[in-house]
Amino acid sequence: LQMIKFLRVETFKSNVIRVHFASGKRLMKLLKSYNDQSMTLVNMLSCTEQETVERVQNLLEEKKERERHVKDLKEKLCQSQAKEIIQELKGNGNLAVIDLGYGIDMGFMTLLSSTVTESCTEEEAPVLLFVGRPDTSLSVEEGSFLLTGPRNFVDGIGKEVATILSGRGGGKFGKFQGKVTRLSGLNEVRDLLKAKMNT
């Protein structure tokens, strides 16, 4: 055997125990693999082997802190953009169709929509259409869209919006979202929404 190493023990039900172990040549290969991984981490993190765990913990804490900072910035950006959108709504019959550009995901569009809607009264009931493109998008035509507004209105027109933008989507209860490949159709969608709102 040369040597044996018990790796872990699993208990199944009340009377079944599974023991995982390695021995002999298999264990030697396993130890070499662990050592290679450890050396790779040491080189990547520029630390000693004993400092690896602490360095990883510090990096994870820094990552969490950056994520909290980014979240705060997004909320502030939403508040700022929401004020501009509310002004646009007042001068455009409670309709806003906005291309938010690149680096925009569905999470941000949802947050922005909620921020705007919460600032309006029930009587105002804004209809919002946001579109955005991921940083990795290679085409100005591809992206995502989010349509929110009164339940009956959005649920009835969502698929038509997706069709004009050459995309697919779904949703209910006043929220419809999806992916599209023809963002140049926004003006057509704007005209459609205006026409439906005035009928």
Side-chain angles (χ1 to χ4, degrees):
L1 285 179
Q2 294 179 334
M3 67 176 79
I4 186 170
K5 170 67 176 177
F6 293 98
L7 303 174
R8 66 181 185 276
V9 177
E10 295 177 335
T11 302
F12 298 89
K13 299 181 181 180
S14 59
N15 58 348
V16 178
I17 297 177
R18 179 179 294 169
V19 179
H20 296 260
F21 70 93
S23 63
K25 291 182 178 180
R26 184 181 176 189
L27 179 56
M28 297 299 290
K29 290 181 179 179
L30 192 60
L31 290 175
K32 182 181 183 302
S33 175
Y34 287 162
N35 183 69
D36 290 344
Q37 291 178 18
S38 179
M39 290 299 100
T40 299
L41 284 173
V42 165
N43 292 330
M44 290 175 62
L45 299 173
S46 300
C47 64
T48 65
E49 191 171 356
Q50 291 72 25
E51 296 171 334
T52 303
V53 174
E54 182 181 356
R55 183 63 59 86
V56 171
Q57 289 175 334
N58 290 338
L59 289 173
L60 290 175
E61 285 299 320
E62 291 174 6
K63 179 176 179 291
K64 289 180 181 178
E65 185 60 34
R66 283 195 296 271
E67 288 175 346
R68 283 193 291 267
H69 183 58
V70 169
K71 182 181 178 182
D72 290 342
L73 289 176
K74 281 186 176 181
E75 290 176 352
K76 290 179 181 178
L77 178 59
C78 274
Q79 292 291 340
S80 176
Q81 286 190 291
K83 292 178 182 178
E84 297 177 4
I85 294 171
I86 290 170
Q87 290 301 314
E88 181 174 337
L89 287 170
K90 292 178 180 178
N92 200 31
N94 282 339
L95 170 66
V97 177
I98 300 176
D99 186 343
L100 297 170
Y102 287 89
I104 302 298
D105 57 19
M106 188 58 64
F108 182 81
M109 288 192 281
T110 300
L111 178 60
L112 182 57
S113 173
S114 298
T115 303
V116 173
T117 302
E118 289 169 2
S119 300
C120 299
T121 64
E122 288 187 18
E123 291 75 17
E124 291 171 328
V127 174
L128 308 171
L129 174 62
F130 299 144
V131 299
R133 303 169 183 79
D135 288 328
T136 56
S137 177
L138 298 178
S139 170
V140 295
E141 294 282 5
E142 297 179 358
S144 301
F145 78 94
L146 172 66
L147 175 66
T148 61
R151 176 176 175 177
N152 291 337
F153 181 83
V154 172
D155 292 358
I157 204 171
K159 289 185 179 180
E160 197 169 349
V161 170
T163 299
I164 292 175
L165 298 177
S166 298
R168 299 172 61 184
K172 55 185 178 179
F173 306 126
K175 179 180 178 181
F176 195 96
Q177 66 187 58
K179 294 184 179 299
V180 298
T181 58
R182 183 176 170 265
L183 287 175
S184 58
L186 275 182
N187 286 333
E188 295 175 51
V189 173
R190 183 183 287 105
D191 292 340
L192 170 68
L193 295 174
K194 282 184 177 180
K196 293 289 186 180
M197 291 175 71
N198 291 329
T199 56

